[in-house]
Every structure is written in C-alpha cells, then in structure tokens.
Amino acid sequence: MPNRKKIGLVLGGGGARGIAHIGVLKVLLRENIRFDLLCGCSMGALVGSCYATGMSIEKIEETVLNLRKRDFIKWLNISRPTSSLIKGEKVFEFIHSLIGDKEFTDTILPFSVMATDLENGREVILKNGPMATAVQASISVPGIFPPVSKDGKFLIDGGVVNPTPIDTAEKMGAEIIIGVDLMLKSDVKLKNPGIITTLLQSYEIIRNQAVLHKINNTNPNTKIILICPEIRSTLDSFKFSDIGKLIESGERAAVRVVSELKNIK
C-alpha cells in the first residue's frame, strides 16, 4: 500500500500478565493487521524476541502451554539474599533455549528492548548485540533477579521507568502505535493490606504513572491504539499457572479493537 504510515507494535511489561501478548499477536496475524516495527519491555521483550527472531505464533503458544509447574520451580534457583532472591541462571538458560545466540541484526523486523540503568535511573533502549542478554536485563525485576552487566552498565527491568514503551516505538519511526498495556487500571479496593500487597501495589502505582506520563508526552500527531487485556491485577503478575486464561485475555482484548485497527490510515 503506497504511502502507508509506519505502524509500531509495543508489548508492555507485567510479569505473567505478559503472556496475554501471545493472544494479541494471534489476533493481529489472523486478521492480517501488519506492523513494521516492534519493541518490548519485560515479558513483552521475551514474547517479542521470539516473534522477532522468526518463531511462529503457533510455536510460541505451544512452547508456553507446554510449561509445567516443575519448570517454574526449576527456575527458582534461590540465591543468597545479597543482590537478589533468585540467581537468574536458569531463567537465562530458558531464554537462550528460545532465541539462542541470535542478535538484533537477525530479526525479521526492527526490534528493540527496554531496560533501566540501575546507576542513574535512565531508560536504556537495547537494539544491538545478543538478544538473550537484552531480554534477561529487561525482565530483571529488582530484588528478584540480579542486575545484568552490559556495556559498562548494570541493567534492571525496563518496567521500572517505561513499562509500555510507546515513546520508544515513536523514536523508531512509528507514526501509528498499537500499544499492548498491562499497567493502566482503575483504583483497586484493598482490605487490611499486608506488607507484600503494599509493596506490590506501590510498585504498580509507580509503573502506572510512568505509562500515563509517556502517553501524555507523545507527539499529538502520533495515533495510539491501546489494547488492554482485562487480566491485570497485581497478583496476576505471578499466576503462571493460568497460561491459557492469560492468552485468551489477550485475544479478547485484541478482538475488541480489530475494526479500529483495520481502519488505520
């Protein structure tokens, strides 16, 4: 199509909730809704890296659905609580099993990954070098996984500063952005919140505000279409046992905006 505006797909962070990205991709591909570039944060970086390196959406879904409770337990190689609770080696092995030694130059479309510089709090857009290392950095939730050393920086979860990196897609040249967001939500009702709930909800508030800030500061000429799967509570971030429901949540959310996406001009 001549003079078609460049479309960017953004896959945001959100722990297990990010499995919903698989459902979104299924619908976009089934409906022949094309995108020209892709960027991801945290779980969105993991799902995005699989797609960007040429893995079919059917294979991505099959791989995730075949995961069992013992697989998640295997990844929990507990560390001495000095830098993190979990060493992260087993998780990196899983990432590497999916995308191998591929680099950003090996992708089927422009792809970037969001991380955070632990020393200065600035966002870091990763788009060069080994993808597995970049994805590991992007999912390194502070305190849970250790920081990843890369290019002289200590990198942590990109969701700390930019959970749904809409502005990154804009910097990559997108004029229309399809943003799959797992952060924005209405007020939650709490009853006698304990320490874990308080910590998790506080982290969610920070990331929610980060998403709003990025959206509000996007170029007004850039069209943004948000896809918001409904499974998005704080505790859903850790419910890796509900893989099928999470994928279905992404499918339903994408279906709701299909007509709008097909009318993109």
Side-chain angles (χ1 to χ4, degrees):
M1 183 184 296
N3 300 320
R4 182 175 70 82
K5 290 185 177 180
K6 187 174 289 189
I7 299 173
L9 176 63
V10 176
L11 303 180
R17 293 173 294 186
I19 294 172
H21 294 314
I22 297 172
V24 172
L25 282 167
K26 285 176 65 177
V27 172
L28 296 183
L29 296 172
R30 183 177 69 226
E31 298 293 338
N32 198 30
I33 296 169
R34 300 181 181 180
F35 45 94
D36 305 290
L37 56 91
L38 176 64
C39 59
C41 177
S42 199
M43 185 61 79
L46 179 56
V47 175
S49 68
C50 292
Y51 178 81
T53 52
M55 187 183 294
S56 70
I57 190 60
E58 292 80 13
K59 182 62 177 177
I60 297 172
E61 182 178 29
E62 178 188 1
T63 300
V64 174
L65 287 173
N66 284 337
L67 292 174
R68 296 292 178 262
K69 186 176 181 179
R70 62 177 177 270
D71 295 309
F72 297 108
I73 293 174
K74 180 178 65 176
W75 298 340
L76 299 178
N77 50 335
I78 305 300
S79 171
R80 286 187 176 184
T82 52
S83 62
S84 63
L85 294 175
I86 299 172
K87 292 179 181 179
E89 296 167 355
K90 298 296 183 182
V91 172
F92 179 73
E93 288 175 7
F94 174 68
I95 296 170
H96 193 268
S97 73
L98 295 175
I99 56 180
D101 295 320
K102 291 184 178 179
E103 304 204 356
F104 283 90
T105 51
D106 300 319
T107 57
I108 61 175
L109 79 174
F111 176 59
S112 66
V113 166
M114 181 61 56
T116 303
D117 188 327
L118 182 59
E119 293 182 319
N120 57 33
R122 296 193 183 100
E123 59 187 59
V124 178
I125 302 172
L126 301 172
K127 52 185 178 181
N128 298 295
M131 291 180 61
T133 303
V135 172
Q136 184 186 18
S138 189
I139 69 169
S140 291
V141 179
I144 304 297
F145 297 112
V148 173
S149 179
K150 179 176 171 59
D151 301 329
K153 298 181 175 69
F154 289 107
L155 302 179
I156 58 172
D157 184 2
V160 172
V161 292
N162 201 349
T164 310
I166 286 170
D167 60 323
T168 302
E170 189 176 42
K171 291 172 185 174
M172 293 171 69
E175 300 164 277
I176 298 170
I177 299 172
I178 304 170
V180 187
D181 175 72
L182 303 159
M183 291 289 115
L184 297 175
K185 53 180 175 280
S186 303
D187 297 345
V188 298
K189 300 297 182 183
L190 300 174
K191 184 177 181 180
N192 300 321
I195 184 171
I196 300 299
T197 300
T198 299
L199 288 172
L200 292 175
Q201 179 61 16
S202 297
Y203 189 40
E204 292 279 287
I205 291 169
I206 293 169
R207 296 196 293 175
N208 189 78
Q209 292 300 310
V211 173
L212 288 172
H213 174 75
K214 293 295 184 180
I215 292 174
N216 292 335
N217 284 277
T218 303
N219 187 322
N221 295 320
T222 301
K223 182 176 180 61
I224 301 172
I225 300 173
L226 288 179
I227 298 176
C228 301
E230 66 270 19
I231 297 180
R232 54 205 301 110
S233 78
T234 305
L235 292 179
D236 285 325
S237 295
F238 303 94
K239 291 183 179 179
F240 286 94
S241 58
D242 292 338
I243 290 174
K245 291 181 180 179
L246 291 164
I247 293 174
E248 291 169 6
S249 172
E251 289 186 72
R252 289 194 298 271
V255 166
R256 286 196 291 269
V257 298
V258 160
S259 59
E260 183 179 4
L261 293 172
K262 286 191 171 183
N263 288 320
I264 288 176
K265 295 180 180 180

